[in-house]
Amino acid sequence: MVKYRTAAPHEREEYIDLANLAFRFDFEVLMPKAYDTSVDSSAMHKVAVDEQGRLRALVAVFPESLTVCDHTLRTGYLGTVSVHPRARGEGHMKALMNLWLEELRGTCDMVVLYGQRQRYEYFGFTLGGVKFKYTVAEANVRHGLRGVNDTGITFRPLFEVEGGAEFAHNLNTSRLAYVERSLEQLPLIFGTLCQKALGVLDQGKLIGYVVVNEAGDDIAEFALEKADDIQRTIKAYMAYSRAGRITLHAPEYDLPLNTALGSIAEDFVIENSDMYHILDFANILKAYLTLKFKTTGIIPGEFSAVMDGQPVTARVDEEGVSVERSAMPDAVVLSKQQAQTLLLTQHGRYMAVDAPAGWFPLPLFWYKIDKY
């Protein structure tokens, strides 16, 4: 009989080997935050174990504390979904997914993952959120930033700069929305997906950092102390990277970065960010409506619904956002899928729901660097 349980510390090599076999990756290199030899991530893995004690499947959930406008959200990133080739079709993934989701109910506000849409819709996940991806070519910089003075901007490996880790940690927590990152784990976090962090210096002084891929032509995270330095840094980085074209990712609510990139980029696309399984609708609404209120803007209004059995009433006025765990007598009743479609997607606005215009979708964005 197959048992479904939490992995034990001594099974570390076995569950990493299973993940490597399923994905044909080296997870210790690809995801050091979870699989570096210095990390005990066994409690983050649920495994299927057969009668001979062999691991047949695993599903991991990596806990993340997410701060959005001073609201702390308990979140988890679900990944490393792996089934041994000889155990496929036996229902292990379904059992492990349901085991995790039952355990997280009541202790987590939201679970996030990246994966094939229909596969995970069966487990209550909805594809949504908003992120922008810009393409900037050498000609865009040469003409669009011709008057920008980038003299003095240089780049060095972040952790070779004195105080680089502390600087990046402080800059991260200065954002309106950020994933909590321990100072000690920053090198592992920034090394995820074989990426690297470069410190941005002006006359030798740190003013920001960028997280880039191995080729240097994709910037997953762009963080500067001052918005005035964004265009200078883009111009300098194009010369530093020697790439004829780079892509940059930005959350919808980072208005200075989107303004700077939108003024020069060759093109941009609006993409979904991830798949989301909301467990506490009131907490998510409070945090992300507040983020909208403080950044992209949201019109005053009131919305009441019963979302997946959870009554909520949200109000926005000139003072800000309030959310109550109660619903009005005539409140619309929505299933989990309906509620998440309304909150997370562009087409959710066409549902027959009396929601104020401009309220949804929520500006969810999960930095790729923090997925693992």
Side-chain angles (χ1 to χ4, degrees), residues 1 27 277 300 318 369:
M1 180 178 178
F27 274 78
H277 182 108
E318 62 277 2
I369 201 68

Side-chain angles (χ1 to χ4, degrees), residues 3 19 29 36 56 98 100 103-104 147 177 208 235 243 268 319 327 358:
K3 293 183 179 180
V29 173
D36 185 77
R56 301 285 86 187
N98 288 333
W100 262 124
E103 181 173 309
L104 293 171
K235 184 174 184 178
F268 76 94
E319 299 297 322

Side-chain angles (χ1 to χ4, degrees), residues 70-86:
D70 297 324
H71 300 283
T72 299
L73 298 176
R74 305 159 298 171
T75 62
Y77 190 83
L78 191 149
T80 324
V81 179
S82 310
V83 180
H84 194 283
R86 293 197 182 101

